[in-house]
Amino acid sequence: MDRSQCLYILVGGSHLMAIAKKAIVWGLFAAGGTLTAFVVPALIGLFLLIATGNIPDGLQFDQIHAFAASWLGKACLFIVLFLSLWHAAHRLRGVAHDFGIRQDTLVANTVYAVAAIGSLLAAFYLFSIR
């Protein structure tokens, strides 16, 4: 690992310890993958129930809207969307490499920019729910 990919912190007053910047990206990737693995199958099941007309009592529009309009609901929805977007971005970066696209800097900047824009849009639209 070259020095440009590391952050350095002082440990014990005089020792420098290198911290890779990749840990931030990998952390978002892992958290997004874990959360998505739990939440998306549940959402698919709920959407299938609703599509077949078997709407559970707690999933009426008024109740879902009230949840999405509360600060807790907005925070929960934002976390799910944010982590899922960053997980997908990192996954797409790996897929591009597997398909032979070797311009990693361009691919990384593109997919992470899309994830950042998606996160900002999610925050904007969630904030606009009244």
Side-chain angles (χ1 to χ4, degrees), residues 2 8 11 13 25 30 37 51 54 70 79-80 85 92 97-98 103 105 119:
D2 68 36
Y8 294 93
V11 176
V25 175
N54 300 319
S70 70
I79 289 170
V80 169
L85 284 169
L92 287 172
H97 185 270
D98 290 344
Q103 298 170 344
T105 303
S119 298

Side-chain angles (χ1 to χ4, degrees), residues 59-106:
L59 292 179
Q60 301 298 327
F61 176 79
D62 295 337
Q63 293 164 325
I64 291 175
H65 185 269
F67 174 74
S70 70
W71 284 106
L72 177 63
K74 289 177 183 184
C76 290
L77 291 170
F78 179 75
I79 289 170
V80 169
L81 292 169
F82 174 82
L83 290 176
S84 296
L85 284 169
W86 285 92
H87 175 80
H90 196 68
R91 180 71 67 191
L92 287 172
R93 181 179 179 189
V95 168
H97 185 270
D98 290 344
F99 279 137
I101 302 171
R102 300 291 187 241
Q103 298 170 344
D104 188 52
T105 303
L106 175 65

Side-chain angles (χ1 to χ4, degrees), residues 3 5-6 11 15-16 18-19 21-22 29 37-39 51 53 59 64-65 88 93 104 107-108 111 127:
R3 292 180 159 261
Q5 294 180 341
C6 295
V11 176
H15 300 300
L16 283 177
I19 299 175
K21 294 178 193 175
K22 290 183 179 183
F29 172 72
F38 285 110
V39 172
L59 292 179
I64 291 175
H65 185 269
R93 181 179 179 189
D104 188 52
V107 171
V111 297
F127 183 73

